[in-house]
């Protein structure tokens, strides 16, 4: 069964270990593992802690993007950049994986719309508007005082320009008020690349039932996050807990709103599925829990591919 995963932090791991290679490494994602999982596309996030790079966040993005492209060049026989739906199809014909570049922290734009255009030209096709800090776009999920605050004027401009350019808007990590501003202002489907159901696990990073419905009504998707803190009370990230969230989201928003957003290489290592090559464990469990193959295919890649086709 094919796979598209909407979020990983493998670039950050590669920055930490300059001797590591995307083809084979000790992380949760590499090319060999992606092939074992039958992946067709992986979204690679440029993530950074804003507190460490407030002086020039766009420069940090450029450095991490350079690492991404260096690894693509080293492994060009196996993986290639995808900027749109057609690129994914073309890469498949050449038996290559597709790599989609994203930014996880809208502060990388440094409050300058010119940097959005520069990021687009650099190959970025998805932006997670906030991480865990307030930035020029809006507010994060993790402070009660921010809960109902909407997007800032620059954030509204970013939404408009991303729609025009053909970039996927990602509301994971965004506060509730910002989520609803995106839903009111985006003319295209938007996503939560790595978020679960708040009704199942009450983390502010997860989506309320109303958010799930709104997301589905806009043609969007949420990528199921494998981090144990957003799944439940288990000491490790368990497949059974992932299925609880999937079932709830399907019941609330329908099968078309579920996708995969593992957060591999950005979450603790205590996982029942150790890396992306073990996605078969989730697929098998979904079958046993009552989902049919067509439904599982939608969750594994077809829903994500639809949004990519609709937006990029």
């Amino acid at each position: 069964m094919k796979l598209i995963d909407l979020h990983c932090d493998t670039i950050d791991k590669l920055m930490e270990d300059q001797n590591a290679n995307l083809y084979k490494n000790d992380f949760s994602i590499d090319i060999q593992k992606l092939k074992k999982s039958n992946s067709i596309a992986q979204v690679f996030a440029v993530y950074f802690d804003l507190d460490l790079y407030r002086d020039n966040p766009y420069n940090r993005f450029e450095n991490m993007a350079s690492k991404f492209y260096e690894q693509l060049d080293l492994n060009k026989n196996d993986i290639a950049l995808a900027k749109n739906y057609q690129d994914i199809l073309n890469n498949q014909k050449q038996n290559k994986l597709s790599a989609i570049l994203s930014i996880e922290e809208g502060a990388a734009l440094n409050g300058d719309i010119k940097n959005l255009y520069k990021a687009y030209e650099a190959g970025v096709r998805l932006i997670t508007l906030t991480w865990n800090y307030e930035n020029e776009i809006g507010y994060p999920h993790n402070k009660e005082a921010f809960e109902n605050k909407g997007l800032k004027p620059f954030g509204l401009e970013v939404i408009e320009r991303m729609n025009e350019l053909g970039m996927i808007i990602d509301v994971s990590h965004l506060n509730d008020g910002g989520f609803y501003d995106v839903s009111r202002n985006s003319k295209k489907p938007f996503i939560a690349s790595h978020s679960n159901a708040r009704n199942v696990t009450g983390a502010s990073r997860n989506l309320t039932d109303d958010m799930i419905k709104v997301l589905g009504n806009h043609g969007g998707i949420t990528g199921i996050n494998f981090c144990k803190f957003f799944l439940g009370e288990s000491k490790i990230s368990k497949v059974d807990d992932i299925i609880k969230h999937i079932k709830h989201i399907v019941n609330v928003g329908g099968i078309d709103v579920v996708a995969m957003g593992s957060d591999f290489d950005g979450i603790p290592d205590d996982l029942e599925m150790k890396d992306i090559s073990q996605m078969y464990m989730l697929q098998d469990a979904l079958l046993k829990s009552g989902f049919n193959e067509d439904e599982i295919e939608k969750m594994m890649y077809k829903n994500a591919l639809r949004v990519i086709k609709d937006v990029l």
Side-chain angles (χ1 to χ4, degrees):
M1 195 171 291
K2 295 175 182 176
L3 175 67
I4 294 177
D5 180 58
L6 294 170
H7 188 87
C8 76
D9 286 294
T10 311
I11 300 175
D12 191 49
K13 291 283 191 181
L14 292 166
M15 292 291 288
E16 291 174 0
D17 184 353
Q18 291 291 319
N19 294 317
N21 192 293
L22 184 59
Y23 185 76
K24 183 180 180 181
N25 56 53
D26 294 327
F27 311 146
S28 292
I29 287 183
D30 61 30
I31 289 169
Q32 289 190 345
K33 298 182 186 85
L34 288 167
K35 287 183 175 181
K36 286 180 181 178
S37 72
N38 205 23
S39 293
I40 60 173
Q42 175 66 52
V43 178
F44 290 90
V46 169
Y47 152 78
F48 58 90
D49 187 328
L50 181 58
D51 267 359
L52 301 177
Y53 298 98
R54 285 186 183 275
D55 290 343
N56 195 340
Y58 192 81
N59 185 59
R60 178 61 177 174
F61 156 71
E62 289 182 311
N63 289 339
M64 293 185 74
S66 293
K67 171 61 70 172
F68 170 76
Y69 282 114
E70 169 197 288
Q71 290 297 316
L72 293 193
D73 188 57
L74 287 170
N75 298 286
K76 58 188 175 184
N77 293 328
D78 297 288
I79 193 168
L81 182 69
K83 296 180 180 179
N84 52 49
Y85 173 75
Q86 191 59 49
D87 284 349
I88 293 175
L89 298 186
N90 292 341
N91 289 339
Q92 282 187 276
K93 289 178 183 177
Q94 298 178 55
N95 293 315
K96 291 183 180 182
L97 298 161
S98 286
I100 300 170
L101 183 60
S102 76
I103 290 175
E104 184 184 19
E105 173 52 274
L109 303 179
N110 205 23
D112 187 343
I113 205 67
K114 292 178 183 177
N115 285 333
L116 177 66
Y117 289 93
K118 287 170 63 178
Y120 180 84
E121 291 300 318
V124 172
R125 290 299 181 268
L126 186 156
I127 297 179
T128 311
L129 300 181
T130 61
W131 189 60
N132 290 341
Y133 303 109
E134 178 183 350
N135 63 26
E136 296 87 353
I137 291 172
Y139 303 88
H141 67 95
N142 57 352
K143 292 185 180 179
E144 194 172 330
F146 291 160
E147 184 176 348
N148 296 313
K149 287 180 176 288
L151 295 178
K152 298 179 181 181
F154 180 68
L156 294 171
E157 183 180 9
V158 166
I159 297 304
E160 182 179 358
R161 301 307 175 203
M162 287 181 72
N163 278 175
E164 291 173 356
L165 288 167
M167 302 177 79
I168 296 173
I169 298 162
D170 178 17
V171 297
S172 282
H173 288 281
L174 189 63
N175 70 326
D176 292 6
F179 173 97
Y180 286 108
D181 265 357
V182 171
S183 73
R184 285 188 288 264
N185 288 277
S186 179
K187 296 179 176 65
K188 293 185 178 180
F190 63 98
I191 74 169
S193 66
H194 53 304
S195 296
N196 299 336
R198 201 179 298 178
N199 192 274
V200 179
T201 301
S204 59
R205 277 276 286 100
N206 291 338
L207 304 175
T208 66
D209 285 0
D210 186 66
M211 289 176 175
I212 293 166
K213 291 174 184 176
V214 168
L215 195 61
N217 289 338
H218 280 73
I221 50 177
T222 184
I224 301 300
N225 190 321
F226 297 170
C227 179
K228 65 180 183 180
F229 302 115
F230 309 129
L231 288 173
E233 301 298 324
S234 302
K235 292 182 179 179
I236 63 170
S237 297
K238 298 183 69 173
V239 171
D240 285 348
D241 289 333
I242 293 172
I243 290 177
K244 287 178 186 176
H245 283 268
I246 289 174
K247 284 185 172 181
H248 182 83
I249 293 168
V250 170
N251 287 337
V252 171
I255 195 71
D256 292 333
V257 80
V258 178
M260 296 294 113
S262 67
D263 208 0
F264 273 136
D265 290 327
I267 55 178
D269 294 331
D270 39 356
L271 298 141
E272 190 172 6
M273 290 187 295
K274 301 298 183 186
D275 58 57
I276 203 156
S277 73
Q278 297 184 345
M279 285 293 291
Y280 67 87
M281 295 170 62
L282 177 57
Q283 294 165 7
D284 290 347
L286 285 166
L287 272 172
K288 290 176 182 176
S289 69
F291 291 100
N292 62 46
E293 288 194 4
D294 289 341
E295 291 171 329
I296 298 171
E297 281 189 331
K298 281 191 170 188
M299 293 187 278
M300 289 296 140
Y301 81 99
K302 286 185 175 178
N303 289 339
L305 195 59
R306 166 179 51 80
V307 172
I308 290 167
K309 185 177 182 180
D310 287 347
V311 180
L312 302 188

